[in-house]
Amino acid sequence: MPERLAEMLLDLWTPLIILWITLPPCIYMAPMNQSQVLMSGSPLELNRLTEEQRILNRSKRGWVWNQMFVLEEFSGPEPILVGRLHTDLDPGSKKIKYILSGDGAGTIFQINDVTGDIHAIKRLDREEKAEYTLTAQAVDWETNKPLEPPSEFIIKVQDINDNAPEFLNGPYHATVPEMSILGTSVTNVTATDADDPVYGNSAKLVYSILEGQPYFSIEPETAIIKTALPNMDREAKEEYLVVIQAKDMGGHSGGLSGTTTLTVTLTDVNDNPPKFAQSLYHFSVPEDVVLGTAIGRVKANDQDIGENAQSSYDIIDGDGTALFEITSDAQAQDGIIRLRKPLDFETKKSYTLKVEAANVHIDPRFSGRGPFKDTATVKIVVEDADEPPVFSSPTYLLEVHENAALNSVIGQVTARDPDITSSPIRFSIDRHTDLERQFNINADDGKITLATPLDRELSVWHNITIIATEIRNHSQISRVPVAIKVLDVNDNAPEFASEYEAFLCENGKPGQVIQTVSAMDKDDPKNGHYFLYSLLPEMVNNPNFTIKKNEDNSLSILAKHNGFNRQKQEVYLLPIVISDSGNPPLSSTSTLTIRVCGCSSDGVVQSCNVEAYVLPIGLSMGALIAILACIILLLVIVVLFVTLRRHKNEPLIIKDDEDVRENIIRYDDEGGGEEDTEAFDIATLQNPDGINGFLPRWGLPTQWWEERNPIQTGLFSGSRITRSLHFIFFHKDTKINCVTQWTT
């Protein structure tokens, strides 16, 4: 530590001594008669300068100022002398006083008011304040009057190397791809130094690596870190710690230094192929496993990470490529072997597969390292399982004629037990598919027989399900659909397609087509329907009508003559025989009704009834219905009118309580209590119908009658008449008078 302090003082005093040597000639070269500022020095030098100043004379007075310098961080037992102020007006009689003001005057800098010496009384730090501006003035000691105008000068704090470099953003982290070439740039770090970068080398930094060789290097001036070794492998070592130093004074001895750390992480590249953990895998699977079930997993390990470790799996060879498949699990990075098709232990008991794992993302820079893939062998053993019966066909189609005899065999289904033990099979019909029990099956041989008659015209298809069950293990069952088609036989005679009714005009012409009819047959012959039409033998020579077969398998009825008259005969019945082409052929007779009608000149039917002659005006049926409706409506209106008039002529009875002006009840004797209340019904007085007649109460021992209008007054008030009724009631020995008045 003492050696370092001596070096620092030497570095600081060397420029000061050079400045000391060159400065006095600059001060004294020009004649001066003003006050002067002298740099700090020895007392002998200051006295010598004072004597020389007395010799110099100038006619113009003024201050000549130079910068003063003071070392920072100086700490000694005495205040440090910064400089001296002096004026030529000072004869040495001590009548002049020097005054100092400005930055730090009195607190940091102190002046001897007699000699003008300026001292720094505190330790200075250039990094806090690099310079101070002060004002000096010479005044009279007694009067304090300024002898000369004030003048400013600057005291600069001279820097020393007292601040070490700092890495403000440390510690640092950086990444670089593995397998990078020599000199690949990793990152750049920067340190700062608070010392003066202009003066000396206190802020000149040089960078170096203290820890991290031989893997990384650093540029001394730019601090760029680069790889120092090629092909660093992440799989060998992923992370490196580098210690970086920044030293000032250009890296020379005595300089201050600071350090930081840099963590370098190697990022992954795809430089490793996948590798199966084992070359042979063994799996076993029951033969009755469900399709799509995972049988086993194989995995190829890859030292890389992330997408560089992703591999795809494929089956490239083997005798089970059609039965098995392999898929890749992106999360677990393995291959899952699944079943694609059913297995059969009795057919083949084992399979061998060759699977391959290959990287999905291949870096072409490392393709020369070999193929990024690997293969392994997988052996799969099929285990025997108790399987359900197997039908000889997945579906069955049977045909039977609709006239087949009961209990006749219409078909057969067969099934077998695929297991080595070969259990016997029993057959049955799922009765949910044969609710009417139209079929039976032999439980031993699977022959299906007819249980009830069939009718193709009711149902052409019957769909049933046959169940095969192992006798030794009833839980092993199989089902198969059986479709039974009912074949047609000619068991239905043809008939008219609909109910026909023909109309013949009285003014029709001979040979005119009256009606065209067609036939239908519920049967379904293979070659289609072909019908034969004929008249009954006794009506072959029908004088009125004849028939004609059309090419479209229909029949036309024609009139033989004209002059039909509906007054003579209104309706004609024409029986027609229809035969089919079946084997044997069937026939039926259908009757066509022909009505004679009156028609217009253009052949439009107007009326087919004989009663139409009664209407000379020739009104149609629609017109007659309209006239009848009008008559009924008029009758209804008349009845309503008469009813309303009858209700209007009935006498009006005043029922409103407002028209009753006064109700007076007079008693000759006191009442008998409850006996009086039972003697008559007070509601009778409130009933207007009681005015018109006597309403007795039966079953009571009371005799009473109405004395109609014993008192009648004819009081007129304008158009209003006041009327009154007097009622007399007898109850046992009591007479009750009641007078009721109202106004009309």
Side-chain angles (χ1 to χ4, degrees), residues 170-215:
Y172 298 89
H173 296 271
T175 59
V176 63
E178 65 170 331
M179 310 305 291
S180 296
I181 62 174
L182 179 66
T184 301
S185 177
V186 177
T187 187
N188 183 23
V189 297
T190 302
T192 59
D193 195 318
D195 293 325
D196 190 357
V198 178
Y199 178 78
N201 295 326
S202 298
K204 184 178 181 180
L205 304 181
V206 174
Y207 298 90
S208 61
I209 292 180
L210 301 181
E211 182 180 341
Q213 293 97 350
Y215 306 104

Side-chain angles (χ1 to χ4, degrees), residues 688-708:
D689 294 337
I691 300 174
N692 298 326
F694 172 67
L695 301 175
R697 290 189 61 183
W698 304 104
L700 297 176
T702 303
Q703 296 179 359
W704 65 281
W705 65 84
E706 173 189 356
E707 184 178 358
R708 181 180 298 274

Side-chain angles (χ1 to χ4, degrees), residues 562-601:
N562 58 359
F564 290 91
N565 191 337
R566 53 181 161 167
Q567 289 184 337
K568 293 181 180 181
Q569 186 172 351
E570 180 183 1
V571 178
Y572 293 89
L573 300 178
L574 183 62
I576 300 174
V577 180
I578 309 173
S579 303
D580 60 19
S581 57
N583 185 20
L586 298 178
S587 63
S588 67
T589 301
S590 299
T591 301
L592 177 65
T593 301
I594 303 175
R595 294 184 179 275
V596 180
C597 303
C599 302
S600 62
S601 58

Side-chain angles (χ1 to χ4, degrees), residues 56-77:
L56 299 176
N57 292 311
R58 287 192 64 181
S59 59
K60 184 178 180 180
R61 299 191 178 195
W63 295 88
V64 178
W65 300 104
N66 291 282
Q67 293 180 348
M68 294 185 182
F69 297 92
V70 61
L71 288 176
E72 68 169 335
E73 303 294 344
F74 181 82
S75 59

Side-chain angles (χ1 to χ4, degrees), residues 665-677 679-680 729 731-737:
I665 300 176
R666 294 182 301 177
Y667 293 89
D668 292 341
D669 299 319
E670 292 183 359
E674 294 181 357
E675 294 179 354
D676 290 342
T677 60
F680 61 90
F729 300 90
H731 177 64
K732 295 182 179 181
D733 296 332
T734 303
K735 179 181 178 181
I736 302 174
N737 294 326

Side-chain angles (χ1 to χ4, degrees), residues 352-576:
T352 301
L353 304 176
K354 186 176 182 180
V355 296
E356 179 186 75
N359 276 152
V360 177
H361 306 282
I362 298 177
D363 195 334
R365 296 177 299 173
F366 308 105
S367 58
R369 290 174 173 253
F372 284 79
K373 61 180 65 175
D374 193 18
T375 59
T377 302
V378 178
K379 286 190 175 182
I380 301 174
V381 177
V382 181
E383 297 177 348
D384 188 23
D386 191 3
E387 300 175 271
V390 178
F391 284 95
S392 58
S393 176
T395 59
Y396 289 89
L397 175 62
L398 305 180
E399 294 181 346
V400 58
H401 287 89
E402 60 179 327
N403 61 350
L406 296 180
N407 298 322
S408 60
V409 178
I410 62 177
Q412 183 179 12
V413 296
T414 59
R416 65 178 181 85
D417 183 4
D419 298 324
I420 298 178
T421 56
S422 185
S423 172
I425 306 299
R426 293 186 63 86
F427 299 96
S428 61
I429 297 177
D430 186 354
R431 291 303 176 183
H432 292 90
T433 61
D434 185 25
L435 297 177
E436 298 180 359
R437 295 182 175 271
Q438 293 181 291
F439 306 96
N440 290 325
I441 189 170
N442 190 302
D444 298 326
D445 57 12
K447 291 182 179 180
I448 302 172
T449 58
L450 187 62
T452 60
L454 301 177
D455 188 356
R456 190 204 66 84
E457 286 70 37
L458 295 178
S459 179
V460 179
W461 289 95
H462 296 272
N463 298 295
I464 62 175
T465 299
I466 304 299
I467 301 174
T469 307
E470 288 187 11
I471 295 178
R472 297 176 184 173
N473 186 358
H474 292 172
S475 64
Q476 297 297 333
I477 61 174
S478 297
R479 298 172 180 268
V480 67
V482 177
I484 302 173
K485 182 179 181 181
V486 181
L487 301 179
D488 183 55
V489 295
N490 192 22
D491 58 347
N492 291 279
E495 58 186 8
F496 276 157
S498 63
E499 294 291 336
Y500 292 102
E501 186 176 12
F503 299 95
L504 174 63
C505 292
E506 291 180 313
N507 56 358
K509 298 179 180 180
Q512 181 180 358
V513 177
I514 301 173
Q515 181 72 37
T516 299
V517 297
S518 60
M520 61 167 290
D521 194 334
K522 295 180 180 179
D523 296 323
D524 187 17
K526 294 181 179 180
N527 299 325
H529 292 289
Y530 182 79
F531 300 116
L532 298 176
Y533 301 92
S534 63
L535 298 176
L536 291 177
E538 61 271 18
M539 298 188 66
V540 173
N541 297 322
N542 190 304
N544 298 316
F545 307 101
T546 183
I547 59 175
K548 177 185 176 183
K549 176 68 181 298
N550 299 321
E551 294 181 357
D552 60 353
N553 217 14
S554 63
L555 179 69
S556 297
I557 293 88
L558 295 83
K560 281 189 174 183
H561 60 84
N562 58 359
F564 290 91
N565 191 337
R566 53 181 161 167
Q567 289 184 337
K568 293 181 180 181
Q569 186 172 351
E570 180 183 1
V571 178
Y572 293 89
L573 300 178
L574 183 62
I576 300 174

Side-chain angles (χ1 to χ4, degrees), residues 172 174 176 211-212 215-216 229 231-234 236-243 262-266:
Y172 298 89
V176 63
E211 182 180 341
Y215 306 104
F216 301 96
L229 288 179
N231 301 328
M232 286 189 290
D233 192 0
R234 185 198 66 83
K237 186 176 181 180
E238 183 177 6
E239 193 172 87
Y240 295 85
L241 181 65
V242 181
V243 179
L262 169 65
T263 302
V264 181
T265 303
L266 299 183

